[in-house]
Amino acid sequence: MARGEDSDKIIINVGGTRHETYKSTLRTLPGTRLAWLAETGAQDSSDSDAAPPSASEFFFDRHPGIFAYVLNYYRTGKLHCPADVCGPLFEEELAFWGIDETDVEPCCWMTYRQHRDAEEAVDIFEPPEPDDTDDDREIPRRFGIEDCPDRSRGCCEVWQPKIWALFDDPYSSRAARGVAFASLFFILVSITTFCLETHEAFNFLYNRTELVSRGNSTHEEYRAELVTKPILTLIEGICVVWFTFEFLVRIVCCPDKVVFIRNSLNIIDFVAILPFYLEMGLSGLSSKAASDVLGFLRVVRFVRILRIFKLTRHFVGIRVLGHTLRASVNEFLLLVIFLALGVLIFATMIYYAERIGAKPGDPPEKNHFKNIPISFWWAVVTMTTLGYGDMFPQTWLGMMVGALCALAGVLTIAMPVPVIVNNFGMYYSLAMAKQKLPKKKKKHQPNPDVLTDSASFGKSEINSHRNSTQSDTCPLAAEETPCRNRSARSTLSGLAV
């Protein structure tokens, strides 16, 4: 009996740590590397003419700490993720052992998935390395000229990637940083000019003369018009010239015109530039249609404030804020739903509370809540703790409803906000860490003799995250050739006595 138990035992040496278990335990998860190892060991021992050894020992140059969780999965059927191990490392080990990532327990799933969100954020906030030779080869590859030497390429093909990096990538060189600072300066000047144009100190009345035809007679009419001082118009013109030059250079030198046109920041650039030229072209015309178009263009001037979004190219913090808003869409929708429900409930309650609590002799003008739609405004202002004071309850019952509305608003806003704050903190810390991360000087060169035991070697469509590892056949055995099997087995520690 003891001899049968010893023959069923197997010793697995992972990174110098020996683990002893039964082959029947490894067979509980068919289709994995260890299950195939147990099956192969059983077949070899049954086919051998010699007496079966007491135990078989196999060596794997893998992470020993993670293998303890893997082996525990075979014993208990529950896969947990260690909290002190980096997520990509655990994912790589699971792929090597042929275990599906969807088998991770729900209590550890968020911990396991957290590293992927971090990797996506790091890729977004990753600043290009100016001295990286890989990036130097990547830029010409995007323009489709990587296979041509400098002497066989034209002047435009040689300078196009360099000019594109100069105007689009502030981290590519010192000259690119200078262009970025110049663009930032003109953006701030343009926004300042836009704000000063609305101040009365920079505006004056101008009497415009217009020829008006009535019947067979034509006479002149004088109309007073508020005009901005020429100094602000000149400053805005200089800024627009720079923005036009920058936009034309970028659209000419961009590697993909379609992607450039679809970019929201480039659309903002074009929309902010166009009204200025239309206004300058129509300002000399005195027709009625030209005056109407000019009036419309002056109203559309507010699109110039959209240039503030161009700051996202130069400030990581603004990109962090934008990415946080996109990542917190579900929380914002939840907040809007909570507010909508609260507004509907408390607007109805305050309307009837004011009508019930009103005295018979009170005039109708004393009640601010004429109907429920008007009460919506009061409910929104109260739940968001603004309290403008234009509408307020005047009865005891209405005051009680108002107090409940204010408390419910504070609780409603407080629930989703911590999630949004946590997202911002995570993305901001990752962005700052990526900026301060030093450049890697030495890259790891994998050993070609160990490539057959790499994590990528154990991956296949069968054991991917879309399918379960509980299959009848072993995908890892199908991928390995008999020659590799014998060579791998020969490099193991051998049989234990």
Side-chain angles (χ1 to χ4, degrees), residues 43-261:
Q43 293 176 3
D44 293 344
S45 61
S46 62
D47 296 340
S48 177
D49 296 336
S54 60
S56 302
E57 180 172 343
F58 299 91
F59 176 81
F60 292 91
D61 191 13
R62 306 299 300 185
H63 195 285
I66 297 180
F67 182 75
Y69 290 86
V70 173
L71 188 58
N72 185 68
Y73 178 42
Y74 284 87
R75 292 167 175 167
T76 63
K78 295 182 179 181
L79 179 61
H80 295 277
C81 178
D84 58 342
V85 175
C86 187
L89 177 60
F90 187 71
E91 181 180 3
E92 183 179 353
E93 291 296 316
L94 289 183
F96 174 80
W97 297 112
I99 297 177
D100 191 357
E101 63 176 5
T102 57
D103 296 338
V104 177
E105 291 297 309
C107 59
C108 300
W109 179 251
M110 294 304 298
T111 305
Y112 173 73
R113 287 284 303 179
Q114 190 175 13
H115 75 278
R116 295 188 179 177
D117 299 334
E119 287 178 351
E120 294 176 359
V122 167
D123 292 338
I124 292 174
F125 304 125
E126 181 178 3
E129 299 289 347
D131 298 328
D132 197 350
T133 57
D134 293 339
D135 292 341
D136 294 339
R137 293 192 297 266
E138 178 64 22
I139 293 178
R141 189 179 297 112
R142 294 170 60 188
F143 290 84
I145 55 178
E146 72 278 7
D147 296 332
C148 302
D150 293 341
R151 295 181 180 178
S152 61
R153 299 196 317 233
C155 181
C156 296
E157 293 180 346
V158 173
W159 286 98
Q160 183 180 359
K162 298 179 180 179
I163 297 177
W164 169 253
L166 181 66
F167 281 85
D168 188 74
D169 187 2
Y171 299 96
S172 60
S173 61
R174 293 185 178 179
R177 289 191 180 93
V179 173
F181 279 117
S183 180
L184 176 62
F185 172 76
F186 283 109
I187 290 173
L188 297 178
V189 171
S190 177
I191 294 174
T192 304
T193 305
F194 172 77
C195 297
L196 293 178
E197 286 179 355
T198 59
H199 197 275
E200 59 272 9
F202 295 94
N203 293 281
F204 62 94
L205 291 176
Y206 176 74
N207 294 324
R208 183 179 294 275
T209 303
E210 294 183 356
L211 296 177
V212 180
S213 299
R214 293 180 180 176
N216 296 328
S217 61
T218 302
H219 62 280
E220 295 181 352
E221 288 187 359
Y222 297 95
R223 180 170 58 87
E225 182 180 353
L226 194 64
V227 180
T228 305
K229 288 189 175 181
I231 183 63
L232 295 183
T233 305
L234 178 61
I235 295 175
E236 177 63 19
I238 296 174
C239 295
V240 170
V241 169
W242 167 260
F243 295 139
T244 305
F245 170 74
E246 182 184 17
F247 181 81
L248 292 178
V249 170
R250 295 180 70 248
I251 195 174
V252 169
C253 298
C254 69
D256 193 339
K257 302 295 189 296
V258 177
V259 175
F260 181 87
I261 294 174

Side-chain angles (χ1 to χ4, degrees), residues 300-373:
V300 184
R301 279 181 177 179
F302 74 92
V303 297
R304 288 187 294 170
I305 201 66
L306 298 178
R307 289 173 182 159
I308 195 69
F309 292 105
K310 296 176 63 176
L311 297 178
T312 57
R313 297 172 181 168
H314 313 293
F315 291 100
V316 178
I318 299 180
R319 294 204 302 271
V320 171
L321 178 60
H323 192 70
T324 302
L325 296 178
R326 289 193 298 269
S328 306
V329 172
N330 294 333
E331 287 74 17
F332 281 115
L333 292 178
L334 187 64
L335 178 60
V336 170
I337 292 174
F338 287 166
L339 284 177
L341 293 176
V343 167
L344 180 61
I345 294 173
F346 287 106
T348 305
M349 292 177 61
I350 195 65
Y351 171 73
Y352 286 104
E354 285 295 291
R355 293 190 63 179
I356 295 173
K359 297 180 180 179
D362 292 342
E365 293 80 8
K366 187 178 181 180
N367 186 6
H368 296 165
F369 306 93
K370 306 297 181 182
N371 50 59
I372 294 180

Side-chain angles (χ1 to χ4, degrees), residues 272-480:
I273 291 172
L274 186 61
F276 180 82
Y277 290 104
L278 293 177
E279 187 175 349
M280 291 294 102
L282 297 175
S283 59
L285 303 179
S286 59
S287 62
K288 179 65 176 174
S291 300
D292 296 339
V293 174
L294 282 174
F296 174 75
L297 291 176
R298 290 190 178 95
V299 175
V300 184
R301 279 181 177 179
F302 74 92
V303 297
R304 288 187 294 170
I305 201 66
L306 298 178
R307 289 173 182 159
I308 195 69
F309 292 105
K310 296 176 63 176
L311 297 178
T312 57
R313 297 172 181 168
H314 313 293
F315 291 100
V316 178
I318 299 180
R319 294 204 302 271
V320 171
L321 178 60
H323 192 70
T324 302
L325 296 178
R326 289 193 298 269
S328 306
V329 172
N330 294 333
E331 287 74 17
F332 281 115
L333 292 178
L334 187 64
L335 178 60
V336 170
I337 292 174
F338 287 166
L339 284 177
L341 293 176
V343 167
L344 180 61
I345 294 173
F346 287 106
T348 305
M349 292 177 61
I350 195 65
Y351 171 73
Y352 286 104
E354 285 295 291
R355 293 190 63 179
I356 295 173
K359 297 180 180 179
D362 292 342
E365 293 80 8
K366 187 178 181 180
N367 186 6
H368 296 165
F369 306 93
K370 306 297 181 182
N371 50 59
I372 294 180
I374 292 179
S375 303
F376 287 161
W377 168 251
W378 171 85
V380 171
V381 171
T382 305
M383 291 192 70
T384 54
T385 66
L386 290 177
Y388 287 125
D390 54 343
M391 298 175 62
F392 53 90
Q394 299 182 4
T395 62
W396 287 105
L397 189 59
M399 292 178 184
M400 294 177 60
V401 174
L404 293 176
C405 182
L407 291 176
V410 172
L411 296 176
T412 299
I413 296 176
M415 283 189 290
V417 166
V419 180
I420 302 174
V421 173
N422 290 336
N423 290 339
F424 181 83
M426 181 187 70
Y427 293 135
Y428 186 79
S429 61
L430 289 173
M432 294 297 102
K434 191 61 182 179
Q435 280 192 335
K436 297 178 181 179
L437 186 67
K439 182 182 177 182
K440 296 181 180 180
K441 296 181 179 180
K442 296 182 180 180
K443 294 184 178 181
H444 177 257
Q445 298 293 338
N447 188 358
D449 297 334
V450 196
L451 288 179
T452 56
D453 275 346
S454 64
S456 61
F457 177 71
K459 292 182 179 180
S460 67
E461 295 181 357
I462 302 178
N463 65 353
S464 64
H465 63 85
R466 297 182 181 178
N467 303 284
S468 174
T469 57
Q470 316 303 323
S471 59
D472 296 333
T473 60
C474 179
L476 303 175
E479 290 181 1
E480 295 187 0

